[in-house]
Amino acid sequence: MAKYIAKRIGQALIVMFLVSLLTFIMINVAPGDPVAVMLEKQADPETIQRVREQLGLDRPYHEQFISFIKGAVTGDLGNSYFQKEPVTAIVGRGFVITVQLGLLALALSVCIGLVVGTLAALFRGTWIDHSLMFVAMLGISAPAFWIAVLMQLYFGLKLGWFPISGSEQAGWLVMPVICLGISYGASSARLVRTNMIEVLSQDYVRTARSKGLNEFVVVGKHVLKNAGISIITLTGMQLRSLISGAMVIETVFSLRGLGSVSYAAIMSRDIPLVQGCVLYVAIVYVLVNLVVDLMYGVLDPRIRLS
Amino acid sequence: MGIFSKRREMQLKDLGFTAEDLASRTLYQDAWRRLKKNKLAMVCLFVIIVIAIVAIFAPLVAPYDPFETDPFNRLQKPSAEHWCGTDDLGRDIFSRIIYGARVSLLVGVVTEGIAVPIGIVLGCIAGYYGGWADMIISRIIEVLGSFPFIIFALCVMFIIGPGILNIFIALGCIGWLGHARQIRAAVIQLKNSEFVEAAKASGASDFDIIFKHLVPNCLATVIVVATIDIPSDIMFEATLSFMGLGIQPPNPSWGSMISEAQDYLRQVPSYSIFPGIAIMLLVLAFNNFGDGLRDALDPKLKNL
């Protein structure tokens, strides 16, 4: 097990390094000089040159990259070009919002998925199954940002229950979490149903039932436990795309999370901020992958050995 | 020509099999027969075909010019004249939705057109040769896959700017990852089979083995994966256009229409509702059709 963990952590570190290298290359091949954008048109060439030197943009690329990596390791990503603040502070604030949104939405989506999927599997082939799966398919096919707009329209403007933008008023998280949760819950419901149906047809379920156990014990103790691995797989997969999903939903509700911050940074060519955002998101991503993989290893010995 | 002996055929006919059941069929004829029995998938295929025809003949179908502004008829509610109302510049929303279908369908087709060939070639190389080639390609897939899509798309747009062509590039760059992974797995499974050994023994080159023997055998997987990916491509385009990174105004796209409508939620709620219904309908149709196609072509891929 120790060897497996070490191997996975090593791979994660390599991926992190390559992601930062790729980001660095992408930013440097992009057209448009950030200094010229920053100083707008008033600056003369000498000023531009001076600022470039101050920011270290005149040094060779490999030196810039090495100092970026050094900074990343020591937790100093420099200052944002436009907001005179350390990148770590700006990204950190956004990070808190995105993580709150993402984790709450994940919890909601897992609940929806488990309840709806289990019900549909238990009542397989009946109208309950058909109508639940129809609603789930609608949820999968509707874009999350559109569900968000519809919720703003009805619960925000018409009923006035929740604020439709910003994170200052109470209840600001409710609508973003619900629309993300619905969107992802719909696809988990389908997968949970498929897995549950598979487990329900196993011999040990029939044995449990014929022993006279009541249905709650059968489902809770035998079926859900065995469908566990695929549900964890699913949760891991969802967590990855939830990061992207949360970043889009933030822009609908004007929340200053990682999504809005990186969008603004890219649009204004704020290089340190872009690098910081990508690095943070990539770290979260790689960590999620690592945790999910390690959990498979714990749950399913077959994976650990191969 | 039947596949059974005359006597056996008679027996089977007595058991209630029709002549059609007994005729020899290719994999694809078989799949089509299974697909035809799936009513939901057929209805969805019909919906897709109708939307495609409407999109192709948009200038004939659309009641108004989608670019024509009308300052006197701004932000109208749905009426007999304007079925879905008008937008902030007085343009007919129904006509813009019809033209928007072109973008969504094109994104689905072109993206898969880029992603499938790249996925086939790299997946085959990784799976067939193994070793270093596999190691490098698998790591590339892992690194690109560890970029959240939205950040990747933002970076691509940052470098080459927003626009429909660039959406194809961004989606194509990421889209092949899944295809390559699937094909690699399929090739690894197939490369030790007897027909590949036979081809090798008869002196076929690697190129011939890959493209004449392995690829045709993975084709069903490729078709299924591509069809299942189309709705997510459509969804990504809508999302990018919604964020202002996709189709640039005044060209209509369903995603950008919803984003424009956000400013007028109070005045005309219907403005934001109709483009969303259009996205949902098309994605729903592709999702159900994809599921049907998967069940018909390759029942092994049930959990995809």
Side-chain angles (χ1 to χ4, degrees):
Chain A
M1 192 64 196
K3 209 174 145 196
Y4 175 73
I5 295 177
K7 197 175 134 199
R8 289 295 297 122
I9 291 178
Q11 278 176 350
L13 285 175
I14 296 173
V15 170
M16 283 300 310
F17 176 78
L18 290 176
V19 168
S20 20
L21 182 63
L22 208 62
T23 319
F24 183 81
I25 294 171
M26 285 213 276
I27 284 167
N28 279 295
V29 297
D33 183 358
V35 179
V37 177
M38 200 169 132
L39 299 173
E40 287 171 8
K41 289 198 179 104
Q42 312 111 352
D44 52 285
E46 278 129 63
T47 322
I48 291 186
Q49 191 52 39
R50 214 188 59 234
V51 176
R52 285 183 71 85
E53 273 167 35
Q54 269 175 15
L55 296 172
L57 290 174
D58 57 333
R59 288 179 298 160
Y61 286 136
H62 64 270
E63 271 183 38
Q64 285 185 41
F65 182 64
I66 290 170
S67 71
F68 167 69
I69 291 290
K70 267 189 198 151
V73 173
T74 53
D76 172 26
L77 295 169
N79 285 333
S80 153
Y81 287 169
F82 301 100
Q83 311 166 40
K84 299 292 170 213
E85 242 188 307
V87 166
T88 40
I90 304 173
V91 179
R93 273 200 308 271
F95 187 74
V96 173
I97 291 185
T98 307
V99 167
Q100 271 181 45
L101 177 56
L103 288 181
L104 286 173
L106 182 73
L108 180 63
S109 120
V110 171
C111 291
I112 294 178
L114 277 180
V115 172
V116 175
T118 310
L119 278 179
L122 290 176
F123 294 99
R124 184 185 181 189
T126 64
W127 62 271
I128 300 179
D129 178 23
H130 292 309
S131 37
L132 284 176
M133 282 305 107
F134 180 71
V135 174
M137 202 58 180
L138 284 185
I140 294 172
S141 304
F145 64 85
W146 184 59
I147 300 180
V149 171
L150 291 186
M151 288 186 73
Q152 285 184 327
L153 205 59
Y154 195 75
F155 297 106
L157 291 175
K158 197 162 176 211
L159 299 177
W161 287 357
F162 305 108
I164 62 166
S165 70
S167 55
E168 290 79 36
Q169 286 158 282
W172 60 276
L173 257 173
V174 177
M175 288 208 290
V177 167
I178 291 180
C179 71
L180 264 181
I182 289 178
S183 205
Y184 285 89
S187 53
S188 19
R190 270 167 61 95
L191 269 162
V192 170
R193 176 182 175 273
T194 315
N195 283 312
M196 291 282 290
I197 286 176
E198 215 178 286
V199 179
L200 278 170
S201 65
Q202 301 286 331
D203 287 340
Y204 54 77
V205 174
R206 200 176 317 131
T207 312
R209 279 186 177 147
S210 55
K211 276 195 302 193
L213 293 178
N214 76 35
E215 197 62 19
F216 276 107
V217 181
V218 175
V219 172
K221 251 184 129 176
H222 295 270
V223 181
L224 276 178
K225 215 171 175 183
N226 282 292
I229 286 203
S230 45
I231 291 167
I232 287 177
T233 315
L234 168 79
T235 315
M237 267 161 34
Q238 282 202 333
L239 201 51
R240 284 170 222 176
S241 67
L242 252 171
I243 300 171
S244 299
M247 288 166 73
V248 175
I249 293 301
E250 279 163 19
T251 59
V252 183
F253 290 98
S254 328
L255 303 175
R256 307 200 135 271
L258 272 183
S260 321
V261 171
S262 40
Y263 178 73
I266 284 172
M267 285 304 157
S268 60
R269 308 204 163 255
D270 195 335
I271 290 181
L273 197 51
V274 175
Q275 281 177 330
C277 289
V278 175
L279 200 65
Y280 257 70
V281 176
I283 290 176
V284 176
Y285 221 62
V286 170
L287 278 181
V288 168
N289 279 343
L290 190 64
V291 171
V292 172
D293 281 355
L294 292 181
M295 276 174 88
Y296 298 154
V298 174
L299 284 170
D300 191 346
R302 280 169 301 181
I303 297 169
R304 199 161 60 213
L305 293 173
S306 65
Chain B
M1 206 24 213
I3 44 176
F4 301 102
S5 70
K6 264 266 152 0
R7 206 168 133 246
R8 180 84 182 121
E9 212 167 272
M10 296 291 281
Q11 285 174 342
L12 287 167
K13 269 186 186 156
D14 288 341
L15 287 169
F17 289 95
T18 61
E20 202 194 341
D21 288 328
L22 301 179
S24 65
R25 289 188 299 267
T26 66
L27 167 70
Y28 295 96
Q29 284 169 337
D30 223 20
W32 174 239
R33 270 166 53 91
R34 261 176 299 202
L35 189 64
K36 267 198 299 194
K37 282 192 196 138
N38 185 341
K39 284 201 195 79
L40 182 63
M42 291 314 280
V43 170
C44 290
L45 179 63
F46 178 72
V47 171
I48 295 169
I49 292 173
V50 169
I51 295 179
I53 291 174
V54 167
I56 293 167
F57 298 104
L60 300 174
V61 184
Y64 294 88
D65 178 348
F67 302 106
E68 198 185 289
T69 57
D70 180 356
F72 300 108
N73 275 317
R74 291 178 66 236
L75 299 172
Q76 297 272 311
K77 298 226 161 80
S79 63
E81 275 161 66
H82 297 282
W83 290 0
C84 299
T86 58
D87 67 4
D88 50 315
L89 297 174
R91 296 173 295 197
D92 181 49
I93 293 175
F94 184 61
S95 306
R96 288 179 70 74
I97 289 178
I98 288 178
Y99 274 80
R102 290 182 157 188
V103 175
S104 289
L105 287 170
L106 208 62
V107 164
V109 175
V110 176
T111 305
E112 292 311 308
I114 298 174
V116 167
I118 301 181
I120 289 183
V121 170
L122 291 182
C124 282
I125 292 176
Y128 186 74
Y129 292 104
W132 274 103
D134 184 22
M135 169 83 182
I136 291 172
I137 293 173
S138 295
R139 281 298 96 79
I140 291 177
I141 294 176
E142 197 174 308
V143 173
L144 282 181
S146 63
F147 253 60
F149 174 76
I150 205 81
I151 283 270
F152 184 83
L154 284 171
C155 287
V156 171
M157 299 299 161
F158 174 65
I159 297 170
I160 51 183
I164 179 137
L165 257 177
N166 301 341
I167 285 197
F168 294 153
I169 295 173
L171 282 172
C173 281
I174 289 289
W176 66 269
L177 301 176
H179 298 297
R181 218 177 284 142
Q182 290 278 343
I183 291 164
R184 175 178 169 274
V187 168
I188 288 178
Q189 218 176 32
L190 285 173
K191 76 173 172 188
N192 294 322
S193 31
E194 280 164 3
F195 67 90
V196 175
E197 261 172 49
K200 261 189 206 158
S202 62
S205 66
D206 284 352
F207 186 87
D208 277 355
I209 291 177
I210 291 177
F211 287 99
K212 287 196 180 147
H213 297 278
L214 291 173
V215 172
N217 275 293
C218 314
L219 213 55
T221 315
V222 175
I223 295 173
V224 170
V225 177
T227 321
I228 288 178
D229 276 0
I230 287 179
S232 58
D233 296 333
I234 294 174
M235 204 74 114
F236 277 137
E237 183 276 324
T239 308
L240 289 177
S241 292
F242 176 78
M243 293 181 82
L245 293 164
I247 309 300
Q248 296 302 298
N251 294 314
S253 140
W254 295 341
S256 57
M257 288 173 77
I258 296 178
S259 130
E260 286 157 20
Q262 252 201 312
D263 297 337
Y264 306 97
L265 277 185
R266 267 172 224 278
Q267 293 101 311
V268 265
S270 57
Y271 186 1
S272 57
I273 293 176
F274 289 115
I277 293 178
I279 300 178
M280 197 162 81
L281 189 68
L282 185 61
V283 171
L284 191 68
F286 266 115
N287 272 335
N288 282 322
F289 175 66
D291 279 0
L293 197 64
R294 179 197 56 200
D295 294 344
L297 258 178
D298 199 345
K300 277 179 304 191
L301 292 172
K302 195 92 190 168
N303 287 321
L304 209 72

